[in-house]
Amino acid sequence: MKFISVFFLTSALLVALLLGFVYSIDPYDKYQINVFGFETKAVALARENKFNMLEHSKTGYEAFVIGSSAAHRLHTADVEELTGLRTFNYAVQQTTPEDYLAITKHIFSKRKPKLVLLQLDLYALNSNFKTDTRFYTSPLYKFLSEESRPTAETPLIDPDYVSVGAISDAFKVIWVNATGTVKHLYLEDGNYHKEKQEPNPIKVTQFAYENYQLSQERLALLRKLRALCDENGTRLVAWTAPYSSEHYHRIEADPKVRKVLEDFKASLARIFPELYDFTNAGVDAYDDTEYFQDSTHPTRKLFRIMLEDLFGATAKNPVWARRL
């Protein structure tokens, strides 16, 4: 009994110390905590990075990619080859339609694009999926009108901070500030840095659809996004995000989650005239880490195939997109 008590006490103390360490660093700048006076967090401030890249760029971008981290690997060179339009990838992490509308407004404040490519993730329309607190502290927040601005809700314990990744990123913040070196996530035109291929099988991640409630407020924001594109004569191409074969079939195997997916697609189809479905069994042909980094993050190679589907190139692979 004494051993068990000591074990649990030691474990609780270790967890508390690790949480205290992560929160004191605040690697994702969610709580605006800066105990050690660091000059930069420089880990995951994607919204600031992408905002500043476009804000100060003189490149005549004509096409833009909008989406969550799942759209990071869509490479602008592939879009340019297939459309002839100079492209900027404005995808950022952990996004919701609040981000998408603000990003679109920022784009139109700087450019008059001919094409907007919008990837829509199932989780992003869940009213129980909270807006990332980093959105509220980013320069994008000011682009939402007062009536559209959500109120920040910062949880006492953020799930992102209870992870090995957060501990690793906290050490990265220390290293960056100690050495004065910053490794940026994004390359020219907003492209994501190159990643090594993961071993098979594809790891299933972010499979969290319990208590899903389709947000009417977020659907209203998407309608505003579409209206903005219509007003400016911009072609808007939207699609449902691809998930790996196992991820998709887990959704299909659960009647409640399958109904969630059906409602999600039907709701989007009422908003977007040009909407394509990649959340279907066609993904079975790409069940390999050559095509997925994990179950919710496609690789550049898969996005290339998707773009060929969307823009009518002669595809060497099975055509998989379905027009909704």
Side-chain angles (χ1 to χ4, degrees):
M1 286 295 293
K2 184 178 180 180
F3 170 78
I4 294 174
S5 299
V6 171
F7 173 78
F8 280 107
L9 183 61
T10 303
S11 299
L13 181 61
L14 180 61
V15 169
L17 286 172
L18 287 173
L19 276 176
F21 169 69
V22 171
Y23 273 81
S24 68
I25 303 297
D26 191 16
Y28 309 135
D29 212 26
K30 290 191 174 190
Y31 295 86
Q32 303 294 290
I33 297 172
N34 196 357
V35 174
F36 304 103
F38 291 132
E39 291 185 17
T40 179
K41 298 299 177 69
V43 173
L45 299 180
R47 290 166 179 82
E48 285 81 354
N49 290 343
K50 293 286 181 89
F51 180 92
N52 288 323
M53 290 176 79
L54 179 60
E55 186 73 11
H56 304 294
S57 173
K58 295 181 180 179
T59 303
Y61 293 115
E62 297 178 292
F64 290 85
V65 177
I66 301 175
S68 69
S69 62
H72 270 152
R73 287 85 176 170
L74 193 159
H75 204 282
T76 59
D78 295 329
V79 179
E80 290 172 20
E81 182 184 339
L82 292 166
T83 66
L85 301 174
R86 187 65 187 271
T87 306
F88 182 81
N89 188 322
Y90 211 141
V92 298
Q93 296 115 324
Q94 202 168 345
T95 50
T96 57
E98 290 89 324
D99 289 280
Y100 302 153
L101 180 57
I103 287 170
T104 304
K105 286 188 173 184
H106 180 225
I107 289 170
F108 280 110
S109 76
K110 306 299 293 185
R111 302 287 189 279
K112 297 299 179 186
K114 296 178 180 178
L115 175 66
V116 168
L117 303 175
L118 175 62
Q119 177 164 291
L120 296 155
D121 302 271
L122 179 57
Y123 70 81
L125 289 185
N126 183 359
S127 60
N128 289 314
F129 180 77
K130 302 302 180 185
T131 306
D132 193 326
T133 53
R134 288 169 287 187
F135 171 69
Y136 302 107
T137 58
S138 77
L140 285 171
Y141 186 51
K142 68 180 181 181
F143 281 88
L144 285 192
S145 61
E146 291 297 332
E147 65 271 16
S148 298
R149 289 184 184 179
T151 304
E153 296 181 23
T154 306
L156 183 61
I157 302 295
D158 192 294
D160 289 341
Y161 280 12
V162 189
S163 67
V164 174
I167 297 171
S168 173
D169 285 339
F171 279 110
K172 287 180 185 176
V173 171
I174 295 173
W175 174 257
V176 163
N177 284 272
T179 62
T181 59
V182 178
K183 180 181 178 181
H184 291 288
L185 287 174
Y186 304 111
L187 309 177
E188 186 180 6
D189 302 326
N191 289 307
Y192 201 59
H193 64 89
K194 189 175 181 180
E195 299 170 293
K196 66 177 183 180
Q197 184 176 330
E198 295 295 323
N200 280 306
I202 300 168
K203 182 180 179 181
V204 175
T205 61
Q206 298 180 6
F207 194 92
Y209 307 112
E210 62 273 7
N211 301 318
Y212 191 105
Q213 292 183 354
L214 194 64
S215 172
Q216 296 305 314
E217 291 79 8
R218 286 177 174 164
L219 288 171
L221 294 179
L222 293 179
R223 282 190 284 271
K224 289 183 178 181
L225 188 159
R226 181 214 161 169
L228 192 57
C229 289
D230 288 347
E231 290 165 9
N232 286 275
T234 300
R235 180 184 177 189
L236 174 58
V237 178
W239 67 85
T240 64
Y243 300 124
S244 72
S245 179
E246 182 179 353
H247 193 118
Y248 171 73
H249 287 293
R250 282 192 190 183
I251 291 175
E252 285 290 288
D254 185 322
K256 290 183 179 178
V257 183
R258 184 172 66 248
K259 181 63 165 58
V260 162
L261 180 60
E262 291 170 356
D263 292 344
F264 167 79
K265 292 179 182 180
S267 297
L268 294 180
R270 288 191 287 269
I271 298 173
F272 300 107
E274 194 168 356
L275 174 68
Y276 297 89
D277 175 28
F278 284 102
T279 316
N280 61 60
V283 77
D284 291 346
Y286 309 105
D287 189 23
D288 190 280
T289 53
E290 183 179 8
Y291 302 108
F292 280 94
Q293 196 71 16
D294 57 46
S295 73
T296 58
H297 293 90
T299 64
R300 177 180 177 177
K301 185 167 185 176
L302 187 72
F303 271 124
R304 172 70 192 203
I305 293 167
M306 293 168 60
L307 289 169
E308 288 176 354
D309 271 8
L310 293 174
F311 295 106
T314 303
K316 298 177 182 178
N317 302 280
V319 175
W320 146 41
R322 297 173 184 171
R323 183 77 177 260
L324 294 177

